[in-house]
Amino acid sequence: GKLFPVTDRARTIVDALVGRCKDLGVLLLTRHRVTDIQLLHTESVSAVSGFVIHHTQGTLLARRVIMATGGRSLPRTGSDGWGWELLRKLGHTVTATHPALVPLVLEPTMFHAELSGISHIVELTTTVKKHKVDRRTGGLLWTHVGVSGPVVMDSSRFWTIAHAAGDAVEVLCNFCPGEQFADVERWFLEYAAEKPKMSLGKAIAQRSPDRFGDALCRWCGIDSSMQIGQLSQGQRRTLIHAFTGFR
């Protein structure tokens, strides 16, 4: 859902927008940070005739004001939320906003740090108050503080909105996209019958990155060096539940 210029340079987009403004005779006043906006009234107090814009270089009169100040995602560019405060002072209501397109931080007790830099295709499902609100498949990247990558970034807003509202929210990860518990269990049983002496870690590596399999086994309390044919039913099911519905 994203578009990029053929140059692969953000400057191309900026030049196009600024160039179009110049073509239309639009005056751009940089370094004029707006500090306040006041209403100008006609003789009838209920009618507004314009606005007085106070900025760091003085004041400016305007018949109309269009606010396009952005959110608060990049403060150094001016997107620090101050525009919303100006709107509130003028009597407008502002829709609550939440972080979106962000990586997620995991509990330090999890194994993400040791997998930092590893990525694979997964399926993420987000549930809010036990109702599924989003499911998507894409690349997940393990980082030293949690998880990132396209699928995490795209689904993060569902978690942040629910978390801000205090709702019970859960993100489940299926490391075998498109497959359910029964599908993966069938694969395990067939693989164990075919190669019973292969270590559990090496078997899992057939479906995911090497280090991930070892980490997931440890998380489940199972020795990854164990032969796959020696896995008990309980151990197998614990591991497959983690494989297909990791919380």
Side-chain angles (χ1 to χ4, degrees):
K2 302 172 181 65
L3 295 175
F4 297 89
V6 293
T7 61
D8 270 339
R9 295 177 63 248
R11 169 59 61 183
T12 302
I13 303 297
V14 176
D15 291 344
L17 294 172
V18 173
R20 182 60 174 158
C21 285
K22 289 180 179 178
D23 292 343
L24 296 174
V26 175
L27 178 63
L28 298 177
L29 299 177
T30 58
R31 302 186 185 279
H32 284 60
R33 183 171 174 85
V34 177
T35 57
D36 195 16
I37 299 176
Q38 295 176 329
L39 300 177
L40 273 180
H41 293 279
T42 59
E43 294 181 2
S44 172
V45 178
S46 61
V48 176
S49 62
F51 302 85
V52 181
I53 302 172
H54 297 269
H55 53 78
T56 51
Q57 304 293 332
T59 59
L60 183 69
L61 299 179
R63 288 197 306 270
R64 295 182 177 85
V65 174
I66 298 172
M67 300 289 287
T69 60
R72 59 178 65 193
S73 58
L74 205 56
R76 72 173 184 270
T77 68
S79 294
D80 57 3
W82 173 239
W84 300 340
E85 296 305 316
L86 293 174
L87 286 170
R88 290 190 181 99
K89 290 178 64 176
L90 290 170
H92 290 284
T93 56
V94 179
T95 302
T97 60
H98 308 278
L101 291 175
V102 293
L104 297 177
V105 177
L106 301 181
E107 291 288 347
T109 52
M110 293 190 68
F111 52 73
H112 50 275
E114 64 184 274
L115 300 179
S116 182
I118 289 179
S119 65
H120 44 147
I121 303 299
V122 305
E123 180 183 83
L124 286 188
T125 301
T126 306
T127 61
V128 178
K129 293 189 285 190
K130 297 186 178 181
H131 293 287
K132 184 178 70 177
V133 297
D134 183 63
R135 174 177 288 169
R136 63 186 65 232
T137 299
L140 175 144
L141 172 68
W142 298 97
T143 73
H144 65 287
V145 295
V147 286
S148 187
V151 72
V152 174
M153 304 277 276
D154 287 342
S155 65
S156 61
R157 64 189 176 98
F158 297 98
W159 190 92
T160 55
I161 290 172
H163 183 67
D167 294 331
V169 56
E170 191 172 60
V171 178
L172 298 176
C173 184
N174 183 352
F175 298 105
C176 297
E179 297 185 71
Q180 304 300 317
F181 179 94
D183 301 317
V184 180
E185 183 174 45
R186 189 180 308 111
W187 176 84
F188 256 91
L189 291 172
E190 291 174 354
Y191 207 82
E194 182 182 346
K195 298 181 179 180
K197 294 186 177 181
M198 176 173 281
S199 71
L200 187 56
K202 286 185 178 180
I204 295 176
Q206 308 302 310
R207 306 292 301 265
S208 61
D210 293 352
R211 283 157 49 200
F212 168 76
D214 291 338
L216 188 67
C217 286
R218 285 198 304 275
W219 180 260
C220 294
I222 302 172
D223 185 356
S224 63
S225 64
M226 176 188 297
Q227 293 180 357
I228 189 172
Q230 296 178 338
L231 212 60
S232 69
Q233 183 186 59
Q235 289 173 319
R236 184 181 69 248
R237 296 201 162 188
T238 296
L239 187 59
I240 296 173
H241 275 302
F243 228 120
T244 57
F246 189 78
R247 184 175 180 275

